[in-house]
Amino acid sequence: MKRKQVKIKDNNETKSKSKKAIKVISILFIVVQLLAMFTLLYSLYIIKGIETELRYVFMILVAIINIISIILTTKLLKKEKQSKFFIFVIIASIFIFAQAIGSYYILKTYSTLSSMNKNEITYTTAFVTLKNSNIKDISSIKDAKIGIVEDETSIEGYVIGKEVIKENSLEKNNTLVDYEDFTALVKGLYSKDIDIMIVSEDYVSMFDEINEYKNIAKETKVVYKKEMTYTKDEIAKLTGEDTNISSSDKVDKPFTVLVMGIDSTAPTLKKNASGNGDALMLLTFNPKTLNATILSIPRDTYVPIACFANQKENKITHAAWNGASCMIKTIENFTGINIDYYVKVNFQGVVKLVDAMDGIEVDVPLDFCESNSKRATSKDKLICLKEGKQTLNGEQALALARHRKTLLTGDLQRGVNQQLVIQGMLNKVKSIKSAGQMLKILDMVSQNIDTNFTTNQILSFYDIAKNLVLTSSESSNLINIRQLYLSGSSQMIYDERSGLVLYNYIPNKSSLNQIVKAMKDNLSAKPNLDVKRMNFNIEEEYEMETIGTDNLSATSTYTLLPNFVGKSESYAVNWLRSNGVSYEIKENIITSGTDGIVTDQSYPQNKRIDLISGKIVITVNRLKVDTPSTPDEPSEPTKPDTPSEPDTPSTPDTPTEPSEPEENTAG
């Protein structure tokens, strides 16, 4: 009996322990299930704007299924039906796992989209001197002239620079020299007016396309760098700029977006990219008609720069030096079109993005070779492509987007090539079916994009994307695109800041008017607009007969000052008079050479005459030859006296005739 009692007792204890274990497991299971449910419900809640009704219905179903699962788990536990309990737990675990996977992908996608609007930006300021300078580091900057931009809103050129000067007490043993902008600053360094300049870390990409500074990376050295991170609110206070332009939670009305391709050497856009705005595309999109217009603005377009003193004209690419806000205001002033959003894209990111897509298919328009993503130009590192349809990897796609040197229309054709790359990416997106690959692509995009689109605004593009998918079966194009082309003329204009004559593209006013009208028409178009007439397939051969090329008046170019040196005074005077320019002649006396030739002018060649203040002084040769006086002719020798006759008495009272004066005898 004792053995049986002990055995029964042991069985009871085992059952009791088993029940406790099952209770603990069930409680943990219920907790995990609740966590999975609330995580999924939260992730579904935050993706606002996506299938709202369907999403709420699904959220209710998820909640109901989880509640039923918990109730059944509790009931099975009470009835002590362990076999059914464990079977049900296995089934419910699969559901929990599915919820966890769903939550992961939704939250990961949401986080990636949120990171596209970067709240924090890191700026890097560099102290740069010439390669052969004795300055080695920050401590060796003594008795030097330090150049700094006078624009107090420039974070990298002024704000951080001043911070470094204060931290290292550089104002005690050195002299600060103010410059109007970075261009004048570089000129000052090269002319040795200063010993060191304070610039953005991206100064090489800012200047190496100017012929005089093409070797700037080899001719200069960085002796000190400082990084500082600011939030966008802090940046707005420092610079006065506001790049969060649109506050709407949903993008459901026609809008404009400025795409800025920054040719920075940084691998991502976590840092500020102060490089040139090498790819500028202004797009309008109407979500009702699915019509778009796209304008590639040449980087050398000569326009007033909004953040330059007195909004002086310059290459539009240089507006990027002062941030997105300066570029946006410059283009708004230029076109009269309000810009709702911007997207800043790092060129370096194209490489990883295209590779993440396993390449894109593009019809390359010509044979060419281009430097790689690291700007290497040695033969073994050049990226060379042949004309024709082919699949491009990341390096090849970037090379096509950057190349312009061998193109007949230069930056204009480059803009078209960049659109080919974008179209290739859009077409590849349609074929992606793996959630993992899509997340990888989104991650690459988020690392190399900065935008003022909010997360909710980005999510609202779901409805647009759905419409595109539904209509893409009717057309090979995702969007009906209207191609815009800014016509113009080339001019070599003297740049006041750099002291160099630089290439500029002068836009044609009637072409610009046609473009602006097309953009405004698209922004105000009604849903019943005939979209077929707006159709443009970028994969077809590009033709210049697009909006902005026909029925144009002549481009109004600037009257530029010629080089008078070596030309005649009459030519210079006639030109100045006919162009209404006041002048003054300064004589340069010479004793040999050609008379009336201009040898100097007070204003440089190719300077705009509308920027000439006062008179232009031209120096002209004046030939002065000393002519020696003519010597007196020698007098004839005096004849010897004729022997006189014997004196004869003179006749009295007969007056004598005056004698002729004697001639001078040549000595």
Side-chain angles (χ1 to χ4, degrees), residues 290 423 426-427 430 468-469 471-472 475-480:
L290 299 183
Q423 186 68 27
L426 290 174
N427 289 338
K430 292 189 293 183
L468 290 175
V469 171
T471 58
S472 62
S475 171
S476 61
N477 300 316
L478 282 173
I479 302 173
N480 298 305

Side-chain angles (χ1 to χ4, degrees), residues 240-288:
E241 70 178 44
D242 180 14
T243 51
N244 289 302
I245 299 171
S246 178
S247 58
S248 174
D249 284 337
K250 190 174 183 180
V251 180
D252 55 358
K253 297 178 181 178
F255 64 88
T256 56
V257 57
L258 175 64
V259 180
M260 295 178 284
I262 306 297
D263 196 6
S264 170
T265 55
T268 68
L269 266 185
K270 289 181 180 178
K271 291 186 176 182
N272 175 58
S274 297
N276 296 314
D278 278 348
L280 298 171
M281 285 184 278
L282 182 60
L283 295 90
T284 67
F285 182 70
N286 191 318
K288 305 294 184 183

Side-chain angles (χ1 to χ4, degrees), residues 572-588:
V573 169
N574 288 335
W575 191 95
L576 293 169
R577 284 177 178 173
S578 62
N579 287 279
V581 180
S582 299
Y583 66 93
E584 178 183 331
I585 305 295
K586 180 181 178 182
E587 294 185 346
N588 177 42

